[in-house]
Amino acid sequence: MVEEQLPIQEKGRRAKNESMRVKPQRLTELSLKPVSRVLSGIAELDRVLGGGIVPGSLLLLGGEPGIGKSTLLLQVCNRLVQNGGKVLYVSGEESAEQVRLRAERLGSIMPDLFVLCAVDLDDIIAAVEEIKPEFLVVDSIQTLVSSTLSSAPGSVAQVRECTAELLRLAKNNRLTVFVIGHVTKFGAIAGPKTLEHMVDAVLYFEGEPSLNYRIVRTVKNRYGPTNEIGVFEMSEAGLIEVANPSEFFLSGRRSDVSGSAVVVTLEGSRPMLVEIQALATPTPFPLPQRVATGFDLRRLALLLGILERRASINGGRRDIFLNVAGGLKLTEPAIDLGVIAALASAIRNTPLPADTVMIGEVGLAGEVRSVTRTEARLKEVARLGFKRAVVPLRSPKMNKSNLRVVPVDTIGGALKVLGVKK
Ligand SMILES: Nc1ncnc2c1ncn2[C@@H]1O[C@H](COP(=O)(O)OP(=O)(O)OP(=O)(O)O)[C@@H](O)[C@H]1O
Ligand SMILES: [Mg+2]
């Protein structure tokens, strides 16, 4: 529990003149100015935002400390300035020299990029009024303080008040504001969920600590679709867009060998393509081994049983190994069909089609059951360039020009489609 002190306000309804009142208007009477989006110059980010930045919007970029939030936004600033924009970068965490050092490392220093090292909201508002930038970057919201409140920076009240003030600034001046927010160890942006409803778009920056790739994901967007992801690679010269992320998720995959299947799993709200590998080797011992890495061993035994009984593919006297590539742990039932396919492929020693992805839960009767958010998964499959998806029969209809969706109702049918079973 955190005590929150509200700014003192006059209570009661103020008497307003009739002329001062805001009046309701007919929607049809409003004159429309066409909204033209501004391209950030980073294609992956523009796509995540739904085709560019909407001028006058407030965007929140969240992420764990050190993931590369400042880097990404500084790169965006550079591109915006290159395209003739005027940008003010406010840093409450680093000195101007540090920002300059990073800008040099990222390879471009622009004259129209202004840097302000301040934490006081009044300083920022004054700077905006003086320079009149089109874009404002605040790094980070947790460092800002509003003088109307006495609570510490980063507290719920401060974060909320500062965001509200920035929102006012954005809407009044048609200023686009990027706000950086740190994700705390509790997994929410600090002060955080308090911010999401106020801003126009919420982007999360995620990454695998051991790998160099980073993912930007929209969880909210008032001007575009959500659940789009953009993939970047962190390098010395900053973040480099990854045009084909499947190479990263499925790096090192050999599709010409048996036992390799690609499945779609939902990581939080993000669909992700992962490779499942299976190996079946004959054993002289009476009790064959069953080994699973990143997958539940009992579920493996169950799926082997279903495969044997419902599709007549027998594990028999073989050691069976199952591995989820990339060190991930998968628990979602939607990957069952992929596991079944990988196992059947390994047992029959027949490679699966390289461009096909499998989606579906498998029941004890060998039926393929529908899974949640098939559409989001298929969207990801299509985006990553796969040509065919084997899905449960009762899935929402989905027509993508370059993705063929093959509905199946049993594992036997699925294995026939995949060419493992006659
Ligand atoms: N010279 C370099 N070469 C390669 N990568 C670098 C280099 N310098 C920094 N990085 C990477 O940049 C990332 C940190 O970037 P950045 O400072 O933008 O993160 P941040 O999210 O803003 O962090 P903070 O939470 O501290 O503000 C780290 O992942 C680091 O590995
Ligand atoms: Mg930073």
Side-chain angles (χ1 to χ4, degrees):
M1 303 294 277
V2 180
E3 184 190 359
E4 225 181 274
Q5 285 185 356
L6 295 172
I8 301 131
Q9 276 174 348
E10 295 164 47
K11 286 262 155 32
R13 195 172 291 168
R14 268 174 298 157
K16 269 191 180 176
N17 291 335
E18 192 65 27
S19 58
M20 279 168 67
R21 282 240 164 83
V22 191
K23 296 223 171 60
Q25 285 171 285
R26 283 204 172 82
L27 213 48
T28 48
E29 282 169 10
L30 290 171
S31 62
L32 272 187
K33 283 183 230 104
V35 182
S36 55
R37 291 175 185 254
V38 181
L39 293 183
S40 69
I42 299 177
E44 283 285 296
L45 188 71
D46 286 333
R47 206 177 33 74
V48 165
L49 289 171
I53 304 161
V54 175
S57 59
L58 181 70
L59 301 111
L60 173 67
L61 177 68
E64 308 249 329
I67 196 91
K69 302 177 293 296
S70 310
T71 307
L72 178 67
L73 284 189
L74 201 58
Q75 279 181 273
V76 171
C77 288
N78 280 334
R79 298 290 182 91
L80 288 172
V81 172
Q82 272 171 10
N83 295 341
K86 205 178 199 184
V87 183
L88 175 62
Y89 185 97
V90 178
S91 179
E93 295 185 337
E94 291 158 309
S95 67
E97 288 77 24
Q98 283 175 309
V99 176
R100 192 193 154 116
L101 215 68
R102 176 179 295 127
E104 262 171 29
R105 177 164 60 85
L106 300 182
S108 48
I109 297 183
M110 296 287 154
D112 254 357
L113 175 57
F114 294 85
V115 178
L116 174 71
C117 292
V119 292
D120 195 327
L121 199 58
D122 297 333
D123 290 345
I124 296 168
I125 293 170
V128 167
E129 269 155 18
E130 192 198 319
I131 303 175
K132 300 208 183 306
E134 294 151 64
F135 302 94
L136 173 69
V137 174
V138 177
D139 184 5
S140 66
I141 191 72
Q142 276 95 2
T143 57
L144 288 198
V145 278
S146 163
S147 50
T148 53
L149 295 175
S150 58
S151 46
S155 65
V156 177
Q158 282 287 7
V159 165
R160 193 189 288 163
E161 172 65 21
C162 291
T163 311
E165 200 63 49
L166 288 174
L167 191 65
R168 240 163 285 157
L169 202 65
K171 302 293 168 193
N172 291 345
N173 301 310
R174 251 178 105 74
L175 172 73
T176 307
V177 183
F178 294 92
V179 172
I180 291 180
H182 291 286
V183 171
T184 61
K185 58 185 166 189
F186 302 108
I189 296 179
K193 286 288 172 187
T194 30
L195 290 189
E196 289 194 353
H197 69 277
M198 300 165 95
V199 301
D200 294 312
V202 180
L203 308 179
Y204 278 93
F205 208 13
E206 304 169 343
E208 198 51 47
S210 56
L211 299 168
N212 263 348
Y213 67 78
R214 304 278 192 275
I215 293 163
V216 178
R217 176 162 60 88
T218 17
V219 292
K220 165 183 168 172
N221 194 351
R222 282 185 183 151
Y223 308 114
T226 50
N227 286 321
E228 285 287 354
I229 64 165
V231 181
F232 296 90
E233 186 187 354
M234 179 62 92
S235 76
E236 180 157 1
L239 292 155
I240 301 165
E241 298 167 59
V242 175
N244 188 4
S246 57
E247 280 167 27
F248 278 80
F249 293 120
L250 307 171
S251 58
R253 172 173 168 249
R254 284 193 54 198
S255 48
D256 55 337
V257 291
S258 63
S260 163
V262 179
V263 299
V264 194
T265 177
L266 280 180
E267 287 284 305
S269 61
R270 189 186 70 215
M272 214 165 93
L273 273 73
V274 185
E275 183 193 358
I276 304 274
Q277 297 175 316
L279 186 69
T281 50
T283 172
F285 299 109
L287 203 65
Q289 292 189 70
R290 304 284 182 252
V291 181
T293 315
F295 192 74
D296 183 32
L297 192 57
R298 274 174 298 180
R299 187 98 195 145
L300 171 63
L302 177 76
L303 293 176
L304 274 172
I306 295 171
L307 195 60
E308 188 173 326
R309 186 52 91 188
R310 308 293 175 200
S312 309
I313 294 180
N314 203 329
R317 291 276 295 274
R318 293 185 181 92
D319 285 339
I320 293 192
F321 305 94
L322 190 81
N323 181 31
V324 179
L328 291 165
K329 285 191 177 60
L330 303 185
T331 49
E332 234 209 337
I335 64 165
D336 285 354
L337 190 60
V339 173
I340 288 263
L343 290 171
S345 158
I347 292 168
R348 287 278 162 99
N349 202 15
T350 313
L352 296 166
D355 57 356
T356 305
V357 169
M358 287 126 251
I359 300 169
E361 183 184 345
V362 173
L364 293 190
E367 81 277 22
V368 177
R369 298 169 156 264
S370 54
V371 299
T372 55
R373 306 202 34 228
T374 316
E375 269 192 87
R377 293 174 207 258
L378 287 176
K379 201 170 173 188
E380 186 66 7
V381 171
R383 206 185 83 71
L384 293 188
F386 282 83
K387 297 280 179 291
R388 198 162 61 144
V390 179
V391 300
L393 200 57
R394 271 173 291 278
S395 303
K397 290 275 164 294
M398 163 118 176
N399 291 315
K400 280 260 174 220
S401 53
N402 45 9
L403 179 72
R404 203 149 67 81
V405 177
V406 186
V408 292
D409 59 347
T410 61
I411 58 166
L415 294 177
K416 271 184 199 138
V417 169
L418 296 168
V420 184
K421 196 168 173 272
K422 281 174 204 80

